[in-house]
């Protein structure tokens, strides 16, 4: 019933920019903490940027100053804006959410994948050199 669908992935040259989109259905983003996560080939999934229902953010040090997250509540969408992309940031990008009554922001603000309940299928991003 609850579903996230990511889109916007593709091939981009290193140093380039890309924006990913995630559309939520079956629930309202107003009452969820949300985040973007990346899984590179052969590596564990890791948090990129997470956003609370009250618009607090946690940004991974590796992407700070280059990536931002935004939300459009009316459209029930979440975006990941990526600038100055690096080849190391190739991977499958996922959006995920956890309800505010299940977890406080403090509980999920470290942006660890295991803290989040509902996941999209992912969209592939390939950063070429």
């Amino acid at each position: 019933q609850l579903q996230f669908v990511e889109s916007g992935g593709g091939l981009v040259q290193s140093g380039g920019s890309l924006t990913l989109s995630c559309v939520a259905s079956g629930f309202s983003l107003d009452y969820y903490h949300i985040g973007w996560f990346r899984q590179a080939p052969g590596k564990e999934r890791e948090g990129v940027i997470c956003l609370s229902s009250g618009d607090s953010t946690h940004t991974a040090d590796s992407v700070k100053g280059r990536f931002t997250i935004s939300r459009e509540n009316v459209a029930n969408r979440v975006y990941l804006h990526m600038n100055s992309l690096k080849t190391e940031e190739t991977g499958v990008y996922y959006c995920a959410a956890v309800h505010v009554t299940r977890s406080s922001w403090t509980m999920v603000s470290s942006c660890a994948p295991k803290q989040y309940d509902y996941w999209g299928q992912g969209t592939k991003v390939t950063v070429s050199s």
Side-chain angles (χ1 to χ4, degrees), residues 33 98-108 115-117:
H33 309 303
V98 60
H99 200 274
V100 296
T101 60
R102 174 175 171 81
S103 300
S104 68
W105 174 239
T106 299
M107 295 171 64
V108 302
Q115 298 168 342
Y116 290 76
D117 294 325

Side-chain angles (χ1 to χ4, degrees), residues 29-56:
L29 292 178
D30 292 350
Y31 303 102
Y32 287 81
H33 309 303
I34 56 178
W36 283 96
F37 303 81
R38 176 179 62 234
Q39 187 160 22
K43 296 185 178 181
E44 297 294 321
R45 194 172 300 181
E46 61 183 353
V48 180
I49 299 179
C50 288
L51 176 69
S52 78
S53 63
D55 291 334
S56 297

Side-chain angles (χ1 to χ4, degrees), residues 9-119:
L11 177 65
V12 62
Q13 191 174 36
S14 63
S17 300
L18 196 66
T19 295
L20 307 182
S21 177
C22 184
V23 179
S25 62
F27 63 100
S28 173
L29 292 178
D30 292 350
Y31 303 102
Y32 287 81
H33 309 303
I34 56 178
W36 283 96
F37 303 81
R38 176 179 62 234
Q39 187 160 22
K43 296 185 178 181
E44 297 294 321
R45 194 172 300 181
E46 61 183 353
V48 180
I49 299 179
C50 288
L51 176 69
S52 78
S53 63
D55 291 334
S56 297
T57 58
H58 177 276
T59 304
D61 289 341
S62 62
V63 305
K64 191 171 296 182
R66 297 187 296 114
F67 290 13
T68 58
I69 188 170
S70 65
R71 180 200 341 245
E72 294 182 359
N73 285 343
V74 174
N76 224 25
R77 289 176 180 266
V78 183
Y79 298 93
L80 178 65
H81 309 276
M82 303 183 290
N83 296 313
S84 302
L85 280 159
K86 303 176 180 179
T87 57
E88 295 81 10
E89 290 158 349
T90 290
V92 178
Y93 285 72
Y94 300 86
C95 56
V98 60
H99 200 274
V100 296
T101 60
R102 174 175 171 81
S103 300
S104 68
W105 174 239
T106 299
M107 295 171 64
V108 302
S109 62
S110 61
C111 208
K114 292 183 178 180
Q115 298 168 342
Y116 290 76
D117 294 325
Y118 306 109
W119 291 82

